[in-house]
Amino acid sequence: TTEIYTLSLHDALPISFSFRFGENNVIGLVTAFRTGISAYRVPEILSYRTISDIPVNQTVNIPPTGIQGMAWGEIGLHYSRRNTDSDIHTAFGVTPRLLLGMEGFYTRAQSDFDYTQRQGDTVAFGSARWDYALTTGNFTDNSDSVRARVQGKGFGIDLGFVWAAPDDEGDTDTDYTWRLGVSLLDVGFMRFGNTAEKHHIEFDTTVTVSEADFPPADNPHELIEDASQAFLGDPAASLQSRSFSMGLPTALSVQFDFKAASRFYVSGLWVQRVKLLKNSLQRPSTLAVVPRFEHRWLSFSVPIVLNDWQSLRMGVAARLGFLYLGTDNLNSFFKKEKLTGADFYVGLKINAFSFGSREGSGLRKSGGSRGRQKRGKIKCYDF
């Protein structure tokens, strides 16, 4: 069996604000609603087309695999500080967050197990160890009572450090010849309790089940009890506890950016997922190289991305003032034979403008880290 399938879907709806105090400090409030689902090393045999074509009475071995999913909200504080008093500018930031879990689940086969399709609607399983857990707050026969509710709490934190070499020939004190950043993202966990269940099913003999063992159910609890009855002979035997924990999609991120020529930059990004807990969400690992042209009111870039060490994509992005647009998969608009996905994005970003105090002219004198005198300008759109 060849392990070829991976799944990682993550989305976030953030709302945040920040303000600067002094020259070098920033504090802020961050909020977000996030969802994620991931599965790695999914064996090819589990694809519908493959498993549905297995001949009757032929036994196949299915290796360990699993899937995790979670929906949660975040409320956090942010603090960052920069130091521009030396030849190498530095900055660090930290964002601790309170996590409010809405829904969560995981399922995992801990060992190989045999699968055999019998005649009719009968299936035989041999020697298995399965774990699964899920939130149950919305298990009800009444669909009107289903709603978003907090079923768990947790803690998460982001940490980051940046080093940059200032550019003496740049237009502003924020220009640099190179910049290096290292970050730890989503270090944390979620604990679901009270309205949660963790189950374990284990057997070392062949167990045969049929459709009759799983009659139509109005409540998901009935399906869970039917599974426990079918494999363990007791509808309550699989329940291990009424709480479980899950990890956030933790990752190590390294970013490097350097100025290749006037207004031309090349940046690199490496994001490597790190599994801290056994039942953690997992984000895709990413390696990207992005050459770009930067101007005050115009920029253009061509990201080249290797996603999860499997698929290579090229995109294009442009910014016109406060309008930006682009795609992460340019090839999808030209190659239709084996289309696996396409995307296009467009957006607006509006920053507050900062004007100087010299008779309203918008100009001011500011000393650089090496005593340079620069004309202050309206703050450029910073991406």
Side-chain angles (χ1 to χ4, degrees):
T1 302
T2 304
E3 298 175 347
I4 62 171
Y5 293 104
T6 65
L7 170 66
S8 183
L9 303 173
H10 296 269
D11 199 5
L13 179 62
I15 300 175
S16 61
F17 73 89
S18 63
F19 66 90
R20 185 182 304 275
F21 63 97
E23 285 293 324
N24 299 316
N25 299 279
V26 174
I27 61 173
L29 174 69
V30 297
T31 65
F33 178 76
R34 300 174 61 184
T35 59
I37 182 169
S38 60
Y40 282 83
R41 298 190 300 275
V42 180
E44 183 182 8
I45 189 66
L46 291 181
S47 68
Y48 173 77
R49 179 175 298 179
T50 303
I51 204 168
S52 62
D53 291 339
I54 295 175
V56 173
N57 295 324
Q58 177 180 319
T59 299
V60 296
N61 183 261
I62 299 178
T65 187
I67 185 171
Q68 311 84 29
M70 188 164 62
W72 72 101
E74 298 182 344
I75 303 174
L77 297 175
H78 170 78
Y79 173 74
S80 59
R81 177 177 174 81
R82 66 178 182 178
N83 177 23
T84 59
D85 292 334
S86 61
D87 290 342
I88 301 298
H89 295 180
T90 60
F92 75 91
V94 59
T95 307
R97 308 187 305 276
L98 171 67
L99 310 180
L100 304 175
M102 304 299 180
E103 300 285 352
F105 77 91
Y106 69 79
T107 179
R108 184 179 68 253
Q110 295 193 57
S111 61
D112 293 15
F113 63 92
D114 292 334
Y115 169 88
T116 308
Q117 177 67 52
R118 304 296 191 190
Q119 292 290 342
D121 59 3
T122 302
V123 177
F125 297 90
S127 185
R129 288 191 299 148
W130 301 330
D131 286 326
Y132 59 96
L134 69 170
T135 50
T136 61
N138 283 314
F139 281 12
T140 175
D141 298 337
N142 183 7
S143 60
D144 293 336
S145 64
V146 175
R147 67 180 189 276
R149 65 183 75 197
V150 176
Q151 302 188 69
K153 294 182 180 179
F155 174 80
I157 191 170
D158 294 338
L159 299 167
F161 299 86
V162 176
W163 299 265
D167 183 4
D168 291 335
E169 299 179 357
D171 294 332
T172 70
D173 289 336
T174 59
D175 287 339
Y176 55 89
T177 57
W178 60 263
R179 182 170 59 184
L180 172 65
V182 178
S183 307
L184 272 175
L185 307 175
D186 283 329
V187 179
F189 68 95
M190 181 75 71
R191 180 74 172 175
F192 292 101
N194 299 325
T195 57
E197 294 182 1
K198 182 170 70 173
H199 293 261
H200 177 74
I201 291 178
E202 182 173 353
F203 52 91
D204 55 11
T205 59
T206 300
V207 176
T208 301
V209 298
S210 67
E211 186 177 345
D213 295 314
F214 297 90
D218 296 325
N219 191 307
H221 264 133
E222 299 175 19
L223 182 61
I224 293 173
E225 292 174 354
D226 289 341
S228 181
Q229 176 67 43
F231 290 102
L232 301 178
D234 183 344
S238 67
L239 181 63
Q240 300 294 299
S241 72
R242 297 193 178 277
S243 63
F244 67 92
S245 298
M246 294 184 66
L248 293 181
T250 307
L252 170 67
S253 175
V254 179
Q255 318 94 42
F256 183 70
D257 197 11
F258 72 94
K259 187 175 184 179
S262 178
R263 303 194 184 283
F264 285 93
Y265 296 80
V266 178
S267 63
L269 170 67
W270 172 44
V271 178
Q272 177 62 50
R273 63 175 173 270
V274 179
K275 190 176 180 180
L276 295 182
L277 300 180
K278 182 185 296 184
N279 302 301
S280 293
L281 288 173
Q282 299 181 69
R283 71 173 71 207
S285 295
T286 301
L287 181 64
V289 177
V290 186
R292 74 183 188 279
F293 169 80
E294 284 281 356
H295 188 267
R296 187 176 181 80
W297 297 103
L298 170 69
S299 68
F300 183 82
S301 62
V302 182
I304 302 170
V305 181
L306 179 61
N307 190 46
D308 254 342
W309 318 117
Q310 294 183 10
S311 61
L312 184 65
R313 291 185 174 185
M314 184 175 71
V316 62
R319 174 177 57 86
L320 302 173
F322 48 79
L323 172 68
Y324 60 93
L325 66 163
T327 175
D328 290 333
N329 190 4
L330 185 63
N331 191 48
S332 65
F333 293 91
F334 302 99
K335 187 176 180 181
K336 308 298 183 183
E337 293 81 5
K338 299 178 68 175
L339 180 65
T340 59
D343 65 77
F344 181 78
Y345 57 84
V346 60
L348 299 173
K349 181 177 181 181
I350 301 177
N351 290 340
F353 290 94
S354 176
F355 292 91
S357 59
R358 197 176 74 179
E359 298 179 353
S361 64
L363 304 178
R364 67 177 183 271
K365 294 288 185 179
S366 60
S369 63
R370 302 178 185 178
R372 291 178 290 156
Q373 294 295 312
K374 295 284 187 181
R375 281 196 313 176
K377 296 182 179 180
I378 298 173
K379 179 174 175 59
C380 179
Y381 287 92
D382 182 9
F383 288 78

